[in-house]
Amino acid sequence: MSSPNHPVASFRRVEDPHWLWLEARDDPMVRAFLDAANVQSDTWFTPLEPLAESLYQGHLARRDLAVTSLTTPLDHYTYWSETTADSDYPSWWRHPNEDYRQTCCFLDLDARASHRSFLEIGDMAISPDEQWLAWTEDTLGDEYFTLLIKRLPDGQPRALLDHIGPELIWAEDNRTLLFTRYDTTQRPDSVWRLTIDDAASHCILEEPDPEFWIGLGKTRSRQWLVVESASKDTTECHLIPAALPATPAFCFRQREPGVEYALEHRPGHFYVLNNRAAPHFRLDRAEEAHPDTWLPLIEHRSTHTLEGVDAFDWGLVLTERDHDEAQVRLRTIEFASDHSVTRDTLLPLPDTPCSQHLGETPHFQTRYLRLQEESFTQPLQWLEYGLDTGERRLLKRQAVHGNLQPDQLTARRLWATSPDGERIPVSIVARRDHLGQGPLPTLLYGYGAYGEALDPWFSIARLELLDRGVAFAVAHVRGGGERGEPWYLNGKLAHKENSFSDFLAAREALIDSELADSERIVAYGASAGGLLVGASLNLAPDAFCAAVLDVPFVDVLRTMDNPDLPLTTAEYTEWGNPSDPVVRQRIAAYSPLDNLVDRPYPSLFLQASWHDSRVPYWEAAKLYARLNDLQLARQSATPHPILLHTEMEAGHGGASGRFQAWRDNARQDAFILWALGLADISTS
């Protein structure tokens, strides 16, 4: 590339070496810079376009393009979605429970998206009598939503409100909706009520603390609406009788700093999942008439984290995670009328490690649970589990077409050792005839924040890489939730740098096991995973031959220093508040943009979105500019490409239509194959 024509050389401002001017969204030069970077990226990718097209077409050929979901019966109608082979979005259908021939389409998202470049549904809810549909939709990608309703089945959609939050829920009176609004930093700070007869809205609850977000829910018993106000480490729940939504909300238990709790309900009793004096969570119950008195039901355990509870009329479904095995399990507990346990069953797993979750099971009285299961080698399947028989009945399995079938794949679990001696799970999947036959070119993926667990998941798009001889690996670093609550706590705040050392330790374990080729490992991270990869690159720029950073959170100190930005104040309990000098020093020590080193970085593909309200476009743009500045100053004869593509009509999640999302994925995979030496072309 020619330095004088490079966008960074053309737009550089000597007085602003950190490129802060890119934060001025209204400055036309900002868009001009991003457009120039997009042109440069498109030009660089031109030789890879045939490969990207091949990856895209291969992806399409491996999957069913026409997709019909499972049917879900409610009280009066049975519901499902259909996506035709050429549609970007699904349509939603139903028929009366007693007559499957009277099918009716009640919401066609493809039609709604036909005159828009972006469409995302925030929430969709059927009224309890199944006569009304309400939904929220975002048509820019900035996560501001419009609330719409229509009378079922064929009433005209009516927009009630715009510029609100995504969540909504029906009260049991079939007339009242609850929804959320944002404050000036796009924090869901309040819950409002309106009726379909009167669009005037009334505030139910407002949360003044900038570190807390408001959320909505309804107990499966359909007796209580739940308004949850929560920070990253503290919760307070308010309840409203679902049949009497005008009743003032009452606080179930006032917040205690550092105490999180969640509620479920069976008539006469609340079930409180909480971490009071129980860092891995415990389950208590409280009589409905005495919510302040919590009685122990499942005690705290050092070996497991209790992650979730779902109530049914017969008992509970618990989601729990084994710390040592980094494996999630479902457990059912059935009660007698006096709350004595009549049956305690750990549901079987098809394989380990795998993912197992409770699927859509809306009926409170059902004795059949819908389960979802998948692994790195087995596609998603939906099953019905009978409580009385223990029988597992397959309802649906994601189809996989083409030459590479699931039984031709294999996965392994390694354990890396971090510098402090902690054992880090590392997963790797590849073709069965390749893994163990010599070091493989490898894509290493990581996230490591918010306690999110990267449980095994199947990907049809991934098959295009695996079929070409690439191994896919996941570093289950601290800060995530794979080994329970302790895993999360030991990778946040003062312990955040554990995430980065874990990621690099995972790389070393893959090499030491002779599964990964040390010269051909690409790192991948998105959002907070972009922070993980960005910080790891600063620590060891030569550890990877390339990296993909998608909407990367790389300007941590400056972002956390600006409470006017979306998300910042609510993130203090995840990253820290830099108004504290100790915290400022700690964040400054790892924030990727504050720790760039004047050494050659590997090839980088950075991706951003203009409307992203979670990680602003300028974070990736500044990283692109500053790394290219360093590289251009070195005047390397064969510099590694550092590319930026900004999607100008999307938000944090990228393109909303599935075909464009798949095309974007194919281009990303073409870059990965090029970096691994598997593209059979040259670029300059």
Side-chain angles (χ1 to χ4, degrees), residues 386-408:
L387 289 171
D388 297 321
T389 65
E391 179 186 358
R392 291 163 48 92
R393 183 168 70 91
L394 181 65
L395 300 176
K396 182 180 175 66
R397 190 172 190 262
Q398 184 183 26
V400 180
H401 303 291
N403 63 313
L404 187 59
Q405 289 295 302
D407 61 4
Q408 295 173 271

Side-chain angles (χ1 to χ4, degrees), residues 237-250:
C237 291
H238 299 255
L239 297 175
I240 302 168
L244 299 169
T247 306
F250 77 90

